Amino acid sequence: MKDVSELQFPADRRYAPDHEWARQEADLVRVGISDYAQDQLGDIVYAELPAVGARFEQGAEFGTLESVKAVSELYMPLGGEIVAVNEALQAAPQLINQDPYGDGWIAQIRPSDPVEYQALMDLDRYLAMLKGA
């Protein structure tokens, strides 16, 4: 596992305490897991994704990632409806390890309460959490 200083964290996203990221894209939000989360998991070998059209509350489990180390739940960083999932992850879940903020995105949602996005951590708060500040 890498030191936090060796990982990447784009400032154009918000972060949840469970290490999911969210990026606003017009009226939708794209979500995935942070570089820290994929580093902790190790090599991801399977991604269980939600169904398009499914609705979840903020903090609800919406899928799982299986790595050579463990199975880890995915939690909704904000509530809403799944409008798209990254189908490429079915054949190549390692995309999450290779590019967690680009090709390794997990789902796109239509938020039910846009205020929840603003309540997520900005980069500074997320890094402080990771460093135990």
Side-chain angles (χ1 to χ4, degrees):
M1 290 182 286
K2 298 178 181 174
D3 185 74
V4 171
S5 64
E6 300 175 75
L7 300 170
Q8 296 180 17
F9 303 99
D12 67 342
R13 284 143 223 263
R14 296 285 185 153
Y15 297 88
D18 293 309
H19 309 291
E20 288 82 13
W21 58 260
R23 184 181 72 204
Q24 191 82 47
E25 297 177 345
D27 63 336
L28 302 176
V29 175
R30 189 173 304 260
V31 300
I33 64 168
S34 73
D35 199 14
Y36 175 84
Q38 73 76 26
D39 184 62
Q40 294 291 307
L41 278 170
D43 294 335
I44 296 170
V45 296
Y46 179 73
E48 179 184 292
L49 304 176
V52 172
R55 295 182 163 277
F56 298 92
E57 296 294 319
Q58 184 178 36
E61 182 181 324
F62 74 101
T64 58
L65 297 176
E66 186 176 330
S67 72
V68 294
K69 293 181 182 179
V71 174
S72 181
E73 291 78 19
L74 295 168
Y75 299 100
M76 288 289 281
L78 61 162
E81 176 187 357
I82 304 292
V83 296
V85 296
N86 187 351
E87 298 288 347
L89 298 179
Q90 298 298 338
Q94 68 274 14
L95 289 172
I96 296 170
N97 294 117
Q98 295 165 0
D99 188 10
Y101 302 111
D103 291 341
W105 66 277
I106 294 169
Q108 195 172 36
I109 64 171
R110 178 173 289 110
S112 51
D113 183 358
V115 172
E116 291 178 346
Y117 181 82
Q118 296 305 323
L120 294 170
M121 290 180 273
D122 63 14
L123 178 58
D124 291 339
R125 285 178 47 215
Y126 183 62
L127 288 174
M129 181 192 84
L130 290 178
K131 294 173 181 174

